Amino acid sequence: NAGVTQTPKFRILKIGQSMTLQCTQDMNHNYMYWYRQDPGMGLKLIYYSVGAGITDKGEVPNGYNVSRSTTEDFPLRLELAAPSQTSVYFCASSRDREAEAFFGQGTRLTVV
Amino acid sequence: AQSVTQLGSHVSVSEGALVLLRCNYSSSVPPYLFWYVQYPNQGLQLLLKYTSAATLVKGINGFEAEFKKSETSFHLTKPSAHMSDAAEYFCAVRRGSQGNLIFGKGTKLSVKP
């Protein structure tokens, strides 16, 4: 039982490049989330999903897109990378909106 | 709207001393409150959660937290700090409509030998 798996763990992007951060969970959770963590700022919600085919914006969605075609996968897409997107990204999942959230190990992204 | 405030971005204690990490919340409805711990270069791990069943909540690694509605607080404590407790701690409240967590800015705990 792997829990929440994120790939890659590290990535350096040039300004204007695009990439997809992968997230998969094997717990059959309906709810999935993407957060970004910046030093001294806690975690901010980017996008979330309450089930396959359903996604919605969080607090800081600009510059990102998501899709949820299956229960297991919730990829995060950066289309035109900007230095402001340098951050650590965490994917999380929960069984329902009241259950605890399980987090992946994070992806550290640097945009130069 | 729900929010969380953690008092003190850094806390330093000696090994064996009491750990007290402060968290105050704002919520218009009975809150679901959580404490998570993050070790360096790792994801977040749940320490404990409050879901209205009991005001004193016991978690992993000897941590506990007390929900005080009158003070809108959910402070995290541990009677005796261990070197392995050095990490960053996040208090969070669950947003009811979406289910996502709203996090405080975190408190970095250092433990001196």
Side-chain angles (χ1 to χ4, degrees):
Chain A
N1 193 342
V4 179
T5 302
Q6 291 183 237
T7 56
K9 286 187 170 50
F10 304 92
R11 183 73 186 267
I12 298 175
L13 276 183
K14 294 184 178 179
I15 294 171
Q17 287 185 321
S18 62
M19 78 163 292
T20 299
L21 282 66
Q22 302 291 345
C23 175
T24 187
Q25 51 93 6
D26 62 1
M27 297 173 282
N28 201 33
H29 285 171
N30 287 320
Y31 286 66
M32 295 188 75
Y33 311 90
W34 274 106
Y35 292 89
R36 59 177 286 171
Q37 182 182 28
D38 300 298
M41 299 301 294
L43 282 78
K44 303 287 187 186
L45 182 68
I46 305 171
Y47 271 94
Y48 70 101
S49 169
V50 300
I54 306 169
T55 63
D56 207 345
K57 296 177 180 178
E59 187 179 358
V60 290
N62 291 344
Y64 307 95
N65 275 301
V66 294
S67 60
R68 184 98 182 267
S69 57
T70 67
T71 298
E72 295 78 19
D73 300 307
F74 190 41
L76 178 71
R77 179 84 177 161
L78 284 71
E79 290 294 348
L80 290 171
S84 61
Q85 293 177 305
T86 294
S87 188
V88 182
Y89 292 84
F90 287 100
C91 179
S93 73
S94 63
R95 183 185 70 243
D96 53 51
R97 67 181 191 182
E98 296 176 351
E100 71 173 274
F102 292 83
F103 284 79
Q105 294 293 292
T107 296
R108 186 175 295 273
L109 175 67
T110 303
V111 182
V112 296
Chain B
Q2 291 98 335
S3 66
V4 168
T5 302
Q6 290 184 242
L7 299 175
S9 58
H10 288 88
V11 170
S12 181
V13 301
S14 298
E15 192 172 20
L18 171 72
V19 176
L20 170 60
L21 304 182
R22 300 177 187 274
C23 173
N24 288 89
Y25 70 92
S26 171
S27 177
S28 57
V29 297
Y32 284 82
L33 293 161
F34 302 80
W35 276 100
Y36 280 83
V37 60
Q38 184 181 31
Y39 298 102
N41 300 315
Q42 303 233 346
L44 279 72
Q45 179 183 1
L46 181 70
L47 270 180
L48 50 82
K49 61 181 178 181
Y50 168 76
T51 57
S52 77
T55 56
L56 183 62
V57 182
K58 294 189 183 299
I60 62 171
N61 301 338
F63 285 93
E64 62 183 34
E66 186 173 8
F67 174 73
K68 291 187 177 180
K69 184 177 180 180
S70 61
E71 299 177 7
T72 61
S73 69
F74 190 56
H75 302 331
L76 182 71
T77 60
K78 181 174 181 178
S80 177
H82 192 272
M83 297 297 290
S84 60
D85 295 326
E88 190 158 19
Y89 293 79
F90 293 93
C91 182
V93 62
R94 183 174 288 285
R95 184 174 175 181
S97 59
Q98 299 172 343
N100 65 289
L101 295 167
I102 299 170
F103 286 88
K105 293 185 177 181
T107 298
K108 188 164 289 188
L109 175 67
S110 301
V111 182
K112 298 174 290 186

